[in-house]
Amino acid sequence: MAFDTIIANVRLPGHDGLVDLAIAAGRIAAIAPDLPGDMPRWDAGGALAFPGFADSHVHLDKACILDRCAICEGTLTEAIQQTAAAKAGFTTENVYARAKTVLEKAILHGTNRMRSFVEVDPRAGTRSFEALTALRQDYAFAVDLDICAFAQEGLTQEMATYDMLDACLGQGAQMVGGCPYADPDPERHIALIFDLAQKHGTDVDFHLDFDLDPTGSAIPAVLRETEARRYGGRVSIGHVSKLSAMAPEEVSRIARRLADAGVALTVLPATDLFLMGRGQDRLVPRGMAPARILHEEGVVTTVATNNVLNPFTPYGDASLARMANLFANVAQISREGDLAAAFAMVTDEAARLMRVPEYGIAVGGVADVVLIDAPDAASAVREVAPVLAGWKAGHQTFERPRARLIQG
């Protein structure tokens, strides 16, 4: 059989020893050791092959704005205020340029699927949505970019935002999201976002419970709406820092409710660690949702980037390998299985949350392949292993050669 390309000498879970991946017409045509043929070959040198990182929660529209904002307190309230003031001056061209910078970094770090929230309201207008729509088209060769039209600053007190979200969903946004903690009527906010999702047949996401008070959770309202509308498997929630302030048995109870209802959860380590616990002067709490408990109770649980170089997170390089390592370190996990689960939170589990139709390396499947310089998933997390190369639908999209020591 004629192949277009062979990626030789890869490690692939479920296969003993090294194997070759043959690509033809954008799909995996064969998997076996030492495949013959004189077509182009890329020698992986024993690197681990996987279908690519999936970033289930990122804000490309407000990335790289530290030059427009001052961080004095490092609080969530300040971050929202500073970003709201800055985004009033965003232009479509500027959003595109900043988002492009982060998107290219993500691609070069092995991410080929991404869900970006984009703020839509009377201050931001639809400029950021227009920028990311263009970006999605321009970088489709390397990454699948889903856009979530998002109400960051509330909804019920400013219903013009509702109409703008509705318009964006009609113009190609793949999903809709809300932020109940920023709304004077959180439960009505949640219901309105669900109304839009049902109208347009899209998935829904909520940023919620972003504090360390174990009371007053918005999760029950999300569960009620999810179950009443039979929306299981199409709802995700992010941050949920309140869970870090609850007893393990209470977390397990909530986790079972989430799992039964089909509500997924995303942990955002970099942002949660930076913003939470600012009122403490010692023994500062981590403020990161206990993802291991959630995962063990059957919740689809992911780890994601959230923000890059802005008042919510003044760090970041869009590396999900680094984010998985940060999560594992803060969660204090060390066993092989738990580390492999952390890798799954930025790969398989994230793909499940995003409802990626084809995810995996198998004969007949789409040839989305990324090579990472590690023997297995646990090692990739432990060492923040660098990625080496990537293919999207059989076409190579990047290469980062292994570092080479040169003796003088």
Side-chain angles (χ1 to χ4, degrees), residues 167-188:
C168 289
L169 287 164
Q171 295 166 18
Q174 284 92 348
M175 61 180 299
V176 63
C179 193
Y181 65 77
D183 196 296
D185 189 347
E187 293 198 10
R188 180 62 180 152

Side-chain angles (χ1 to χ4, degrees), residues 83-145:
T83 304
K87 74 182 180 185
F90 288 178
T91 65
T92 302
E93 295 74 19
N94 174 259
V95 173
Y96 184 98
R98 290 184 288 99
K100 172 177 177 272
T101 297
V102 176
L103 188 65
E104 288 184 352
K105 287 183 179 181
I107 294 167
L108 291 170
H109 284 305
T111 295
N112 55 24
R113 294 165 181 85
M114 181 177 282
R115 172 185 289 178
S116 179
F117 299 89
V118 57
E119 294 185 22
V120 177
D121 57 40
R123 286 155 300 288
T126 59
R127 297 184 297 277
S128 295
F129 171 71
E130 292 161 6
L132 263 64
T133 298
L135 193 73
R136 178 175 63 194
Q137 180 177 342
D138 292 347
Y139 282 83
F141 72 95
V143 63
D144 296 328
L145 177 60

